[in-house]
PDB file of all heavy atoms in Angstrom:
ATOM      1  N   THR D 562    -141.045 -52.280  88.736  1.00  0.00           N
ATOM      2  CA  THR D 562    -140.911 -53.624  88.170  1.00  0.00           C
ATOM      3  C   THR D 562    -142.247 -54.032  87.564  1.00  0.00           C
ATOM      4  O   THR D 562    -143.266 -53.371  87.776  1.00  0.00           O
ATOM      5  CB  THR D 562    -140.523 -54.657  89.244  1.00  0.00           C
ATOM      6  OG1 THR D 562    -141.643 -54.852  90.133  1.00  0.00           O
ATOM      7  CG2 THR D 562    -139.317 -54.205  90.049  1.00  0.00           C
ATOM      8  N   ASN D 563    -142.246 -55.143  86.839  1.00  0.00           N
ATOM      9  CA  ASN D 563    -143.492 -55.682  86.292  1.00  0.00           C
ATOM     10  C   ASN D 563    -143.732 -57.113  86.771  1.00  0.00           C
ATOM     11  O   ASN D 563    -144.383 -57.909  86.105  1.00  0.00           O
ATOM     12  CB  ASN D 563    -143.465 -55.643  84.758  1.00  0.00           C
ATOM     13  CG  ASN D 563    -142.298 -56.439  84.180  1.00  0.00           C
ATOM     14  OD1 ASN D 563    -141.507 -57.033  84.910  1.00  0.00           O
ATOM     15  ND2 ASN D 563    -142.188 -56.445  82.858  1.00  0.00           N
ATOM     16  N   PHE D 564    -143.210 -57.442  87.950  1.00  0.00           N
ATOM     17  CA  PHE D 564    -143.302 -58.813  88.450  1.00  0.00           C
ATOM     18  C   PHE D 564    -144.684 -59.157  88.997  1.00  0.00           C
ATOM     19  O   PHE D 564    -145.115 -60.303  88.903  1.00  0.00           O
ATOM     20  CB  PHE D 564    -142.250 -59.059  89.538  1.00  0.00           C
ATOM     21  CG  PHE D 564    -140.840 -58.726  89.126  1.00  0.00           C
ATOM     22  CD1 PHE D 564    -139.957 -58.143  90.030  1.00  0.00           C
ATOM     23  CD2 PHE D 564    -140.399 -58.982  87.841  1.00  0.00           C
ATOM     24  CE1 PHE D 564    -138.659 -57.834  89.659  1.00  0.00           C
ATOM     25  CE2 PHE D 564    -139.103 -58.677  87.458  1.00  0.00           C
ATOM     26  CZ  PHE D 564    -138.233 -58.097  88.368  1.00  0.00           C
ATOM     27  N   ASP D 565    -145.353 -58.176  89.618  1.00  0.00           N
ATOM     28  CA  ASP D 565    -146.669 -58.399  90.210  1.00  0.00           C
ATOM     29  C   ASP D 565    -147.579 -57.241  89.833  1.00  0.00           C
ATOM     30  O   ASP D 565    -147.393 -56.120  90.310  1.00  0.00           O
ATOM     31  CB  ASP D 565    -146.572 -58.514  91.745  1.00  0.00           C
ATOM     32  CG  ASP D 565    -145.742 -59.706  92.179  1.00  0.00           C
ATOM     33  OD1 ASP D 565    -146.256 -60.826  92.136  1.00  0.00           O
ATOM     34  OD2 ASP D 565    -144.568 -59.495  92.550  1.00  0.00           O
ATOM     35  N   LYS D 566    -148.557 -57.535  89.003  1.00  0.00           N
ATOM     36  CA  LYS D 566    -149.423 -56.499  88.451  1.00  0.00           C
ATOM     37  C   LYS D 566    -150.113 -55.698  89.541  1.00  0.00           C
ATOM     38  O   LYS D 566    -150.748 -56.245  90.448  1.00  0.00           O
ATOM     39  CB  LYS D 566    -150.480 -57.149  87.551  1.00  0.00           C
ATOM     40  CG  LYS D 566    -151.419 -56.180  86.861  1.00  0.00           C
ATOM     41  CD  LYS D 566    -150.724 -55.427  85.752  1.00  0.00           C
ATOM     42  CE  LYS D 566    -151.725 -54.583  84.955  1.00  0.00           C
ATOM     43  NZ  LYS D 566    -151.065 -53.818  83.886  1.00  0.00           N
ATOM     44  N   ASN D 567    -149.978 -54.352  89.451  1.00  0.00           N
ATOM     45  CA  ASN D 567    -150.696 -53.421  90.334  1.00  0.00           C
ATOM     46  C   ASN D 567    -150.325 -53.576  91.806  1.00  0.00           C
ATOM     47  O   ASN D 567    -151.060 -53.130  92.679  1.00  0.00           O
ATOM     48  CB  ASN D 567    -152.215 -53.593  90.158  1.00  0.00           C
ATOM     49  CG  ASN D 567    -152.996 -52.398  90.654  1.00  0.00           C
ATOM     50  OD1 ASN D 567    -152.615 -51.251  90.410  1.00  0.00           O
ATOM     51  ND2 ASN D 567    -154.079 -52.631  91.370  1.00  0.00           N
ATOM     52  N   GLN D 568    -149.182 -54.190  92.105  1.00  0.00           N
ATOM     53  CA  GLN D 568    -148.769 -54.405  93.490  1.00  0.00           C
ATOM     54  C   GLN D 568    -147.545 -53.553  93.821  1.00  0.00           C
ATOM     55  O   GLN D 568    -146.599 -53.486  93.036  1.00  0.00           O
ATOM     56  CB  GLN D 568    -148.432 -55.868  93.748  1.00  0.00           C
ATOM     57  CG  GLN D 568    -149.612 -56.814  93.632  1.00  0.00           C
ATOM     58  CD  GLN D 568    -150.606 -56.611  94.752  1.00  0.00           C
ATOM     59  OE1 GLN D 568    -150.280 -56.710  95.931  1.00  0.00           O
ATOM     60  NE2 GLN D 568    -151.844 -56.332  94.377  1.00  0.00           N
ATOM     61  N   ILE D 569    -147.600 -52.936  94.997  1.00  0.00           N
ATOM     62  CA  ILE D 569    -146.477 -52.155  95.505  1.00  0.00           C
ATOM     63  C   ILE D 569    -145.975 -52.821  96.779  1.00  0.00           C
ATOM     64  O   ILE D 569    -146.737 -53.070  97.711  1.00  0.00           O
ATOM     65  CB  ILE D 569    -146.880 -50.703  95.814  1.00  0.00           C
ATOM     66  CG1 ILE D 569    -147.306 -49.988  94.525  1.00  0.00           C
ATOM     67  CG2 ILE D 569    -145.742 -49.949  96.479  1.00  0.00           C
ATOM     68  CD1 ILE D 569    -147.777 -48.563  94.738  1.00  0.00           C
ATOM     69  N   PHE D 570    -144.691 -53.129  96.812  1.00  0.00           N
ATOM     70  CA  PHE D 570    -144.052 -53.707  97.988  1.00  0.00           C
ATOM     71  C   PHE D 570    -143.278 -52.602  98.694  1.00  0.00           C
ATOM     72  O   PHE D 570    -142.564 -51.828  98.036  1.00  0.00           O
ATOM     73  CB  PHE D 570    -143.101 -54.837  97.572  1.00  0.00           C
ATOM     74  CG  PHE D 570    -143.802 -56.065  97.059  1.00  0.00           C
ATOM     75  CD1 PHE D 570    -144.500 -56.036  95.859  1.00  0.00           C
ATOM     76  CD2 PHE D 570    -143.768 -57.244  97.775  1.00  0.00           C
ATOM     77  CE1 PHE D 570    -145.162 -57.155  95.383  1.00  0.00           C
ATOM     78  CE2 PHE D 570    -144.421 -58.377  97.314  1.00  0.00           C
ATOM     79  CZ  PHE D 570    -145.121 -58.333  96.108  1.00  0.00           C
ATOM     80  N   TYR D 571    -143.425 -52.525  99.989  1.00  0.00           N
ATOM     81  CA  TYR D 571    -142.769 -51.430 100.709  1.00  0.00           C
ATOM     82  C   TYR D 571    -142.082 -51.936 101.972  1.00  0.00           C
ATOM     83  O   TYR D 571    -142.495 -52.915 102.586  1.00  0.00           O
ATOM     84  CB  TYR D 571    -143.779 -50.329 101.069  1.00  0.00           C
ATOM     85  CG  TYR D 571    -144.927 -50.768 101.964  1.00  0.00           C
ATOM     86  CD1 TYR D 571    -144.819 -50.720 103.347  1.00  0.00           C
ATOM     87  CD2 TYR D 571    -146.129 -51.220 101.410  1.00  0.00           C
ATOM     88  CE1 TYR D 571    -145.870 -51.119 104.167  1.00  0.00           C
ATOM     89  CE2 TYR D 571    -147.184 -51.610 102.218  1.00  0.00           C
ATOM     90  CZ  TYR D 571    -147.050 -51.563 103.596  1.00  0.00           C
ATOM     91  OH  TYR D 571    -148.087 -51.957 104.406  1.00  0.00           O
ATOM     92  N   GLN D 572    -141.002 -51.273 102.303  1.00  0.00           N
ATOM     93  CA  GLN D 572    -140.292 -51.531 103.560  1.00  0.00           C
ATOM     94  C   GLN D 572    -139.878 -50.201 104.156  1.00  0.00           C
ATOM     95  O   GLN D 572    -139.192 -49.404 103.508  1.00  0.00           O
ATOM     96  CB  GLN D 572    -139.075 -52.427 103.350  1.00  0.00           C
ATOM     97  CG  GLN D 572    -138.324 -52.737 104.641  1.00  0.00           C
ATOM     98  CD  GLN D 572    -137.293 -53.826 104.457  1.00  0.00           C
ATOM     99  OE1 GLN D 572    -137.544 -54.835 103.835  1.00  0.00           O
ATOM    100  NE2 GLN D 572    -136.108 -53.619 104.989  1.00  0.00           N
ATOM    101  N   ILE D 573    -140.308 -49.958 105.383  1.00  0.00           N
ATOM    102  CA  ILE D 573    -139.995 -48.709 106.080  1.00  0.00           C
ATOM    103  C   ILE D 573    -139.130 -49.047 107.270  1.00  0.00           C
ATOM    104  O   ILE D 573    -139.566 -49.733 108.198  1.00  0.00           O
ATOM    105  CB  ILE D 573    -141.295 -48.002 106.537  1.00  0.00           C
ATOM    106  CG1 ILE D 573    -142.191 -47.715 105.328  1.00  0.00           C
ATOM    107  CG2 ILE D 573    -140.970 -46.723 107.293  1.00  0.00           C
ATOM    108  CD1 ILE D 573    -143.570 -47.198 105.692  1.00  0.00           C
ATOM    109  N   ASN D 574    -137.888 -48.607 107.241  1.00  0.00           N
ATOM    110  CA  ASN D 574    -136.952 -48.819 108.340  1.00  0.00           C
ATOM    111  C   ASN D 574    -136.735 -47.508 109.076  1.00  0.00           C
ATOM    112  O   ASN D 574    -136.497 -46.469 108.456  1.00  0.00           O
ATOM    113  CB  ASN D 574    -135.604 -49.322 107.819  1.00  0.00           C
ATOM    114  CG  ASN D 574    -135.704 -50.701 107.192  1.00  0.00           C
ATOM    115  OD1 ASN D 574    -136.398 -51.573 107.703  1.00  0.00           O
ATOM    116  ND2 ASN D 574    -135.034 -50.897 106.068  1.00  0.00           N
ATOM    117  N   PHE D 575    -136.808 -47.558 110.386  1.00  0.00           N
ATOM    118  CA  PHE D 575    -136.567 -46.332 111.155  1.00  0.00           C
ATOM    119  C   PHE D 575    -135.974 -46.694 112.513  1.00  0.00           C
ATOM    120  O   PHE D 575    -136.152 -47.805 113.031  1.00  0.00           O
ATOM    121  CB  PHE D 575    -137.858 -45.523 111.327  1.00  0.00           C
ATOM    122  CG  PHE D 575    -138.948 -46.222 112.098  1.00  0.00           C
ATOM    123  CD1 PHE D 575    -139.122 -45.994 113.460  1.00  0.00           C
ATOM    124  CD2 PHE D 575    -139.818 -47.102 111.467  1.00  0.00           C
ATOM    125  CE1 PHE D 575    -140.126 -46.627 114.174  1.00  0.00           C
ATOM    126  CE2 PHE D 575    -140.834 -47.737 112.172  1.00  0.00           C
ATOM    127  CZ  PHE D 575    -140.988 -47.500 113.531  1.00  0.00           C
ATOM    128  N   GLY D 576    -135.279 -45.752 113.081  1.00  0.00           N
ATOM    129  CA  GLY D 576    -134.707 -45.947 114.415  1.00  0.00           C
ATOM    130  C   GLY D 576    -133.677 -47.052 114.471  1.00  0.00           C
ATOM    131  O   GLY D 576    -133.092 -47.456 113.459  1.00  0.00           O
ATOM    132  N   ASN D 577    -133.454 -47.565 115.675  1.00  0.00           N
ATOM    133  CA  ASN D 577    -132.382 -48.530 115.906  1.00  0.00           C
ATOM    134  C   ASN D 577    -132.876 -49.882 116.435  1.00  0.00           C
ATOM    135  O   ASN D 577    -132.079 -50.704 116.863  1.00  0.00           O
ATOM    136  CB  ASN D 577    -131.374 -47.945 116.899  1.00  0.00           C
ATOM    137  CG  ASN D 577    -130.693 -46.719 116.339  1.00  0.00           C
ATOM    138  OD1 ASN D 577    -129.806 -46.798 115.499  1.00  0.00           O
ATOM    139  ND2 ASN D 577    -131.156 -45.554 116.784  1.00  0.00           N
ATOM    140  N   GLY D 578    -134.190 -50.080 116.420  1.00  0.00           N
ATOM    141  CA  GLY D 578    -134.716 -51.376 116.824  1.00  0.00           C
ATOM    142  C   GLY D 578    -134.339 -51.742 118.244  1.00  0.00           C
ATOM    143  O   GLY D 578    -134.507 -50.944 119.184  1.00  0.00           O
ATOM    144  N   GLU D 579    -133.820 -52.939 118.422  1.00  0.00           N
ATOM    145  CA  GLU D 579    -133.443 -53.424 119.753  1.00  0.00           C
ATOM    146  C   GLU D 579    -132.439 -52.510 120.434  1.00  0.00           C
ATOM    147  O   GLU D 579    -132.336 -52.491 121.667  1.00  0.00           O
ATOM    148  CB  GLU D 579    -132.861 -54.836 119.647  1.00  0.00           C
ATOM    149  CG  GLU D 579    -133.854 -55.886 119.174  1.00  0.00           C
ATOM    150  CD  GLU D 579    -133.192 -57.235 118.978  1.00  0.00           C
ATOM    151  OE1 GLU D 579    -131.952 -57.311 119.163  1.00  0.00           O
ATOM    152  OE2 GLU D 579    -133.895 -58.197 118.636  1.00  0.00           O
ATOM    153  N   ASP D 580    -131.678 -51.772 119.636  1.00  0.00           N
ATOM    154  CA  ASP D 580    -130.637 -50.911 120.183  1.00  0.00           C
ATOM    155  C   ASP D 580    -131.083 -49.456 120.341  1.00  0.00           C
ATOM    156  O   ASP D 580    -130.251 -48.566 120.516  1.00  0.00           O
ATOM    157  CB  ASP D 580    -129.397 -50.964 119.276  1.00  0.00           C
ATOM    158  CG  ASP D 580    -128.900 -52.378 119.093  1.00  0.00           C
ATOM    159  OD1 ASP D 580    -128.582 -53.025 120.097  1.00  0.00           O
ATOM    160  OD2 ASP D 580    -128.865 -52.856 117.945  1.00  0.00           O
ATOM    161  N   GLU D 581    -132.399 -49.236 120.248  1.00  0.00           N
ATOM    162  CA  GLU D 581    -132.911 -47.876 120.396  1.00  0.00           C
ATOM    163  C   GLU D 581    -132.572 -47.335 121.787  1.00  0.00           C
ATOM    164  O   GLU D 581    -132.840 -47.976 122.804  1.00  0.00           O
ATOM    165  CB  GLU D 581    -134.429 -47.858 120.200  1.00  0.00           C
ATOM    166  CG  GLU D 581    -135.053 -46.486 120.224  1.00  0.00           C
ATOM    167  CD  GLU D 581    -134.641 -45.641 119.021  1.00  0.00           C
ATOM    168  OE1 GLU D 581    -134.235 -46.220 117.984  1.00  0.00           O
ATOM    169  OE2 GLU D 581    -134.725 -44.405 119.122  1.00  0.00           O
TER     170      GLU D 581
END
Side-chain angles (χ1 to χ4, degrees):
T562 70
N563 59 1
F564 306 142
D565 297 282
K566 182 73 173 179
N567 199 43
Q568 294 291 303
I569 296 178
F570 290 68
Y571 60 89
Q572 181 169 316
I573 302 172
N574 294 319
F575 62 96
N577 296 284
E579 295 175 357
D580 304 302
E581 185 68 22

